Amino acid sequence: MAVTGKPYLGSSFLILCLLGFVSVSVPAKADVKTYQFDVQVKNISRLCHSKPIVTVNGRFPGPTVYVREGDRVLINVTNHAQYNMSIHCLPAYITQCPIQTGKSYAYDFNVTGQRGTLWWHAHILWLRATVHGAIVIMPKQGTPFPFPQPDWEEIVILGEWWNFDVEEIEKQGNKLGLPPNASDAHTINGKPGPLFPCSEKHTFAMEVEQGKTYLLRIINAALNDELFFAIAGHNLTVVEIDAVYTKPFSTNAILIAPGQTTNILVRATQAPGRYFMASRPFMDAAISIDNKTATGILQYKAIPNTVLPILPQLPAPNDTAFALDYNSKLRSLNSPQFPANVPLRVDRHLLYTIGLGINPCPTCLNGTKLTASLNNITFVMPKIGLLQAHYFNINGVFRTDFPDNPPTPFNYTGAPLTANLGTTLGTRLSKIAYNSTVELVLQDTNLLTVESHPFHLHGYNFFVVGTGIGNFDPEKDPAKFNLVDPPERNTVGVPTGGWTGIRFRADNPGVWFMHCHLELHTGWGLKTAFVVENGNDPDQTILPPPKDLPPC
């Protein structure tokens, strides 16, 4: 997406990844879509408990941003809550400092070159548990979908719910140096469904008519869980991931990681009745999670509520085979209108190991705390925005010496390693030349345990050219890369005990955050950032920051 106008380098609000290409031209006849977002606290009841949560406009999930490709978008965010607030895409202390309590900030940008389903969310602390919502970008007027036109569409946001203050739960975990308590429920559009206590009225229901086709825009807004999703008795046709069209394929369930979006078509061709849609976690490592099932209801018109719904057959919680097979079916559409411009030549090869670790913590329960790292570096958040420090050449905020490869190679996915688990702390970034092509292999490790990790890169889409189980082999594995129609997305899962290879062209200057989208691991330091240098032309250069950018 081209972002033009007020923001420097990408819109500080939206864009889970509406690609933030910087441009100085403004469309002459762009429609203007205006939104007011009031961040405020509201009491919400779920699971027989009532508690105050942070919301946007008092809604959970928050309001949907509807735009059309080519529109100009104005979003004014006023923070009435007690927390300083930053909204994705420009996370707190990476691209901007957060909006302070009692302050406002207006985001102004144009949407160019992208259409589909994305989402916005808070990007500070664990506030995104309740501060999130959908972004729907419709194609330009007169441009049809490259799949059968649906009769109706619905937004389906998968999330998590804690009975107690999620920020206090996070703080308690950090104080102990241990993982915080798992969520008490999963939700569909903020509602856990009737399998949970006190939840009959907290159930999402969607009415359908026999013979019609429905487009479901599914978003995983859960903090820490990859999720399966299925609808009893109905096949799902996948047509888009992360706002990029795919070659359609049919499946009885989907797998979606935190941060990802998936659009599916559902045809109402079954016997009229009530059918559960259901979501529960995928976890194929020995890690404790909230494994409860959230449900909503797909209800055929004129069917009474007294009819008992049918449950779908979801994959087993540890069904690795389903996960690998499902992801292998994802392919870019790669049509003349929507080509897959995969970089075939690579200027920069990177290998980043993903690891858990243990560092000293005198005040923690055991005198230590769990941590996480890339190439054994635990990222330390700065006190001012990295993009501002880069633009104004402020020294001492970060270093650009993040290693291209692990400092000490080892058998990454061999027997579990439980000794010498300390990590290096630092705000270390990798500098990337403008318009260079990058291949990044993300390698899981068995430091403490193997685990699946969904990684998200701000400011870019990338192509997932390869994946595998075990250690990446730089001599043999690239020969198996898909360089024709690999899936293009902004968030990708690294399989448990395996690796994933991505490629992208660094044609968007600025400082771009890359992090695990499991909020627990992000908080432990499983993140870094790329400093993409300016190009030679004015439209290849970072714009100056707005004068009213929130101060630190």
Side-chain angles (χ1 to χ4, degrees):
M1 165 182 148
V3 175
T4 63
K6 184 176 179 180
Y8 74 129
L9 198 92
S11 147
S12 175
F13 163 69
L14 259 206
I15 338 185
L16 171 74
C17 247
L18 310 179
L19 294 180
F21 292 101
V22 184
S23 171
V24 296
S25 62
V26 177
K29 295 183 179 180
D31 286 341
V32 179
K33 302 292 172 59
T34 302
Y35 290 86
Q36 172 64 38
F37 274 23
D38 290 307
V39 180
Q40 55 195 218
V41 174
K42 181 179 180 181
N43 278 331
I44 296 287
S45 295
R46 297 287 187 274
L47 275 61
C48 316
H49 290 262
S50 179
K51 70 169 187 177
I53 65 171
V54 182
T55 69
V56 169
N57 297 353
R59 296 169 59 182
F60 170 57
T64 298
V65 174
Y66 287 98
V67 298
R68 189 174 292 279
E69 184 181 354
D71 284 350
R72 180 185 176 191
V73 184
L74 300 172
I75 302 175
N76 187 68
V77 179
T78 301
N79 184 11
H80 303 282
Q82 70 269 36
Y83 301 100
N84 292 340
M85 181 65 59
S86 171
I87 304 290
H88 194 16
C89 167
L90 307 186
Y93 302 109
I94 300 297
T95 311
Q96 70 163 86
C97 294
I99 304 169
Q100 298 174 1
T101 301
K103 303 294 184 181
S104 298
Y105 184 68
Y107 302 99
D108 181 351
F109 54 90
N110 296 290
V111 179
T112 307
Q114 194 159 23
R115 76 296 308 158
T117 305
L118 296 165
W119 66 305
W120 58 264
H121 61 81
H123 215 302
I124 189 168
L125 307 175
W126 280 26
L127 293 176
R128 77 172 174 88
T130 57
V131 181
H132 59 252
I135 304 165
V136 175
I137 308 171
M138 296 300 293
K140 291 181 179 179
Q141 287 282 7
T143 302
F145 294 128
F147 48 80
Q149 181 74 22
D151 297 293
W152 189 258
E153 62 178 60
E154 192 73 58
I155 291 165
V156 176
I157 300 180
L158 311 178
E160 293 180 86
W161 174 264
W162 280 261
N163 284 333
F164 300 100
D165 185 341
V166 68
E167 288 306 307
E168 291 303 317
I169 291 171
E170 181 200 11
K171 289 176 185 176
Q172 181 68 13
N174 290 338
K175 184 178 179 180
L176 296 174
L178 299 171
N181 292 340
S183 55
D184 295 293
H186 290 95
T187 59
I188 297 177
N189 285 342
K191 301 173 180 179
L195 302 186
F196 289 89
C198 306
S199 295
E200 284 288 342
K201 66 179 180 179
H202 299 305
T203 301
F204 169 70
M206 172 182 170
E207 186 179 82
V208 298
E209 293 186 38
Q210 182 73 31
K212 291 192 174 181
T213 299
Y214 297 83
L215 176 67
L216 270 57
R217 300 177 180 270
I218 303 173
I219 298 164
N220 185 348
L223 263 61
N224 294 308
D225 291 332
E226 295 182 77
L227 296 168
F228 293 119
F229 176 87
I231 302 175
H234 294 73
N235 284 333
L236 318 176
T237 301
V238 177
V239 294
E240 179 196 301
I241 54 174
D242 292 0
V244 180
Y245 296 134
T246 64
K247 289 182 172 66
F249 69 92
S250 181
T251 180
N252 59 5
I254 68 166
L255 176 63
I256 182 168
Q260 291 181 336
T261 71
T262 302
N263 283 10
I264 60 171
L265 293 177
V266 178
R267 294 193 65 208
T269 57
Q270 299 304 303
R274 301 172 81 220
Y275 297 84
F276 271 131
M277 57 180 73
S279 176
R280 76 171 176 214
F282 164 62
M283 173 53 73
D284 58 352
I287 295 172
S288 177
I289 59 168
D290 169 14
N291 61 2
K292 304 179 190 74
T293 302
T295 54
I297 297 174
L298 185 140
Q299 183 161 336
Y300 281 68
K301 189 173 183 179
I303 297 296
N305 293 343
T306 53
V307 175
L308 292 177
I310 303 167
L311 271 170
Q313 190 72 33
L314 286 164
N318 62 348
D319 196 339
T320 304
F322 178 92
L324 295 174
D325 180 66
Y326 173 81
N327 284 321
S328 73
K329 294 176 182 177
L330 298 172
R331 293 283 186 270
S332 291
L333 188 59
N334 194 26
S335 66
Q337 187 178 5
F338 304 105
N341 296 315
V342 188
L344 302 179
R345 176 184 55 82
V346 176
D347 299 315
R348 185 87 171 269
H349 291 268
L350 308 174
L351 174 64
Y352 290 179
T353 53
I354 305 164
L356 301 180
I358 299 176
N359 281 339
C361 176
T363 61
C364 293
L365 181 64
N366 300 313
T368 61
K369 65 178 179 180
L370 289 168
T371 189
S373 68
L374 289 168
N375 282 352
N376 206 47
I377 298 170
T378 296
F379 190 82
V380 176
M381 293 296 286
K383 300 300 183 185
I384 68 170
L386 291 178
L387 183 57
Q388 292 157 279
H390 171 57
Y391 184 85
F392 292 111
N393 295 312
I394 302 172
N395 293 324
V397 178
F398 63 87
R399 292 157 51 183
T400 55
D401 60 350
F402 191 93
D404 286 3
N405 294 282
T408 306
F410 60 99
N411 181 9
Y412 305 122
T413 56
L417 301 173
T418 57
N420 302 317
L421 294 174
T423 66
T424 300
L425 307 182
T427 310
R428 298 171 64 181
L429 283 57
S430 182
K431 184 176 287 188
I432 306 292
Y434 178 80
N435 209 39
S436 62
T437 52
V438 179
E439 178 182 291
L440 168 61
V441 174
L442 292 162
Q443 172 73 62
D444 187 30
T445 67
N446 209 352
L447 294 167
L448 284 182
T449 179
V450 290
E451 185 177 354
S452 177
H453 298 270
F455 264 82
H456 172 58
L457 175 60
H458 290 219
Y460 289 93
N461 277 5
F462 49 73
F463 292 96
V464 185
V465 295
T467 191
I469 301 299
N471 297 338
F472 175 70
D473 186 332
E475 301 299 325
K476 297 180 181 179
D477 286 326
K480 297 177 282 187
F481 282 178
N482 177 5
L483 302 178
V484 177
D485 61 351
E488 181 183 350
R489 56 190 328 162
N490 58 55
T491 304
V492 65
V494 179
T496 300
W499 57 270
T500 293
I502 66 172
R503 288 186 181 183
F504 64 96
R505 180 176 294 278
D507 52 5
N508 190 8
V511 180
W512 296 110
F513 200 30
M514 187 185 75
H515 60 96
C516 179
H517 225 297
L518 302 180
E519 205 66 32
L520 176 63
H521 292 168
T522 298
W524 286 353
L526 193 50
K527 50 198 172 189
T528 186
F530 294 110
V531 180
V532 179
E533 297 178 296
N534 287 335
N536 295 322
D537 298 333
D539 62 352
Q540 300 169 349
T541 302
I542 303 172
L543 296 173
K547 293 181 180 179
D548 60 345
L549 196 70
C552 291

